[in-house]
Amino acid sequence: MINGIRRGPALNGVPRYNRNAASTQTNMPSRSFNGLDVLGPSVPDNVRNAWIKAEAESGTNGYGMDSEGKFTQITALFAMSIENMVNGKGQDILGSTVDSAKTAVQKALDRVGIPRNDKEKKEKLFYEAFLRLL
């Protein structure tokens, strides 16, 4: 088994790996992934609540990660966070105030511009809802 992927029978001498037969661990606790853990760990509660409500309204979030911790897309906020990290400023881009969160989300909205696909449309809906709720 390699990385939880069970090795299948060889085909023409080349081993095959069956991803569908990967073992699962049932005793691992499930964890809800929240982009605020990275993008704004020190935001006030009203910003945190606005984020949660915007997620519910839009069906997505500004971090591009689903509830299972899988990335669904590279969002503008995520890209801004990585840029900050590379420049030695840390990944927290929302700051610790409502105004700093508004500034970051407005920059993300500007980056999205005119959405080209459904994921970008949902991302933009999230940012608009988040701004409105802040």
Side-chain angles (χ1 to χ4, degrees):
M1 191 176 302
I2 297 175
N3 294 331
I5 300 173
R6 196 170 313 201
R7 186 175 171 173
L11 179 64
N12 296 330
V14 178
R16 296 185 324 177
Y17 296 93
N18 183 350
R19 293 187 183 277
N20 296 330
S23 65
T24 59
Q25 295 183 10
T26 57
N27 58 351
M28 289 183 66
S30 64
R31 181 191 185 298
S32 176
F33 289 87
N34 184 342
L36 285 177
D37 296 343
V38 174
L39 300 177
S42 59
V43 295
D45 287 342
N46 51 349
V47 173
R48 190 169 301 281
N49 292 336
W51 177 280
I52 293 166
K53 288 176 184 175
E55 282 181 329
E57 278 187 28
S58 66
T60 193
N61 63 48
Y63 195 60
M65 186 179 276
D66 66 16
S67 62
E68 295 175 4
K70 296 176 185 172
F71 281 103
T72 58
Q73 72 190 85
I74 303 292
T75 65
L77 282 177
F78 180 79
M80 289 165 53
S81 175
I82 297 300
E83 289 167 5
N84 267 9
M85 184 182 66
V86 168
N87 291 320
K89 298 177 185 174
Q91 288 182 280
D92 179 351
I93 59 167
L94 294 178
S96 58
T97 67
V98 171
D99 287 337
S100 61
K102 283 182 178 180
T103 299
V105 175
Q106 188 59 57
K107 286 180 185 177
L109 258 174
D110 293 343
R111 282 188 175 204
V112 170
I114 300 170
R116 296 174 302 232
N117 58 47
D118 287 341
K119 285 185 179 185
E120 287 181 359
K121 286 177 187 173
K122 287 182 91 171
E123 179 184 1
K124 186 173 183 176
L125 286 174
F126 170 79
Y127 295 148
E128 291 170 341
F130 190 33
L131 267 179
R132 181 175 33 79
L133 294 164
L134 284 173

